[in-house]
Amino acid sequence: MVVRMLRSVVGWPAKSQYPMLVAAFLLGNLIAVLFSVVQPSSSFRLLQHYTYQETMASNGVKLYSIQTVPQNIVLKPITSNVSLTADFGINGGFFWNGDLLSIAVMNDQPLKGEQDDYGSGWYNIDYPKGTLVWDEITGQFSVQVVQDAHQIKVTDKQHYWAQGESACLSDMMLPGLIRH
């Protein structure tokens, strides 16, 4: 019907142009599919699907929270307070004079330097501490008390992240505190 209307009004398209129109239509759809499948190559993805909230505690302390899915979390070394950067996020571990003093590992690579290097994010300094671990394969969080990233137990060492915290993290009741 559209073809008849165009032909009667402007004399277009001629029957000889049908194959070209079909080819152009198919090529356009192929390009649209390719652009919807191709992902950005940057390891620092833009944060999507998060909720930010400010709450006043009963003692007057103001609490800030960001809620998101574990797949959005990217560990990144910074040299100052996160609020002084353009990044979304929280300060996750301990650092001193540029050294990471708690585990900060993505896919079995410390954030700074190499495995086993001091200050690279491979170790929880001083003694084993509670470390939050996201196993991408199982889709599960765990808190593991470890000294270094060699001790972390996950399904696939190329699909996880781990952030060391304070020793009290190992004493928390995880199911009630972490939701994803």
Side-chain angles (χ1 to χ4, degrees):
M1 183 157 141
V2 173
V3 173
R4 284 188 195 140
M5 182 184 77
L6 284 172
R7 193 175 306 141
S8 67
V9 174
V10 292
W12 184 82
K15 287 189 179 199
S16 63
Q17 294 173 320
Y18 286 168
M20 184 61 91
L21 287 173
V22 169
F25 174 78
L26 292 174
L27 179 62
N29 281 308
L30 176 64
I31 290 170
V33 167
L34 287 175
F35 278 118
S36 68
V37 172
V38 173
Q39 298 295 318
S41 61
S42 171
S43 62
F44 298 113
R45 303 173 301 256
L46 293 176
L47 186 62
Q48 299 174 0
H49 310 293
Y50 72 95
T51 304
Y52 173 78
Q53 185 175 356
E54 295 179 14
T55 307
M56 186 68 70
S58 59
N59 63 359
V61 173
K62 197 170 194 178
L63 303 172
Y64 304 90
S65 67
I66 298 174
Q67 183 176 1
T68 190
V69 295
Q71 295 84 350
N72 282 345
I73 296 174
V74 176
L75 305 182
K76 180 179 177 181
I78 58 173
T79 57
S80 67
N81 187 298
V82 74
S83 65
L84 302 175
T85 72
D87 295 316
F88 294 93
I90 61 170
N91 287 342
F94 299 103
F95 55 92
W96 182 257
N97 291 331
D99 292 327
L100 296 173
L101 303 180
S102 54
I103 289 178
V105 175
M106 291 191 72
N107 302 328
D108 225 29
Q109 294 301 311
L111 294 189
K112 296 176 67 176
E114 300 296 321
Q115 293 181 356
D116 299 311
D117 286 352
Y118 175 84
S120 66
W122 192 253
Y123 295 97
N124 280 323
I125 211 70
D126 296 332
Y127 55 88
K129 296 181 177 124
T131 301
L132 181 63
V133 178
W134 169 248
D135 187 325
E136 183 182 338
I137 301 300
T138 63
Q140 297 291 312
F141 279 110
S142 63
V143 175
Q144 300 178 27
V145 180
V146 297
Q147 177 94 40
D148 64 61
H150 288 298
Q151 299 169 330
I152 294 172
K153 292 177 178 44
V154 292
T155 307
D156 182 347
K157 290 282 191 167
Q158 297 306 307
H159 295 278
Y160 80 103
W161 57 256
Q163 177 63 63
E165 295 290 333
S166 67
C168 66
L169 183 59
S170 61
D171 298 328
M172 291 183 180
M173 293 180 56
L174 187 61
L177 296 175
I178 299 174
R179 297 184 185 106
H180 64 281

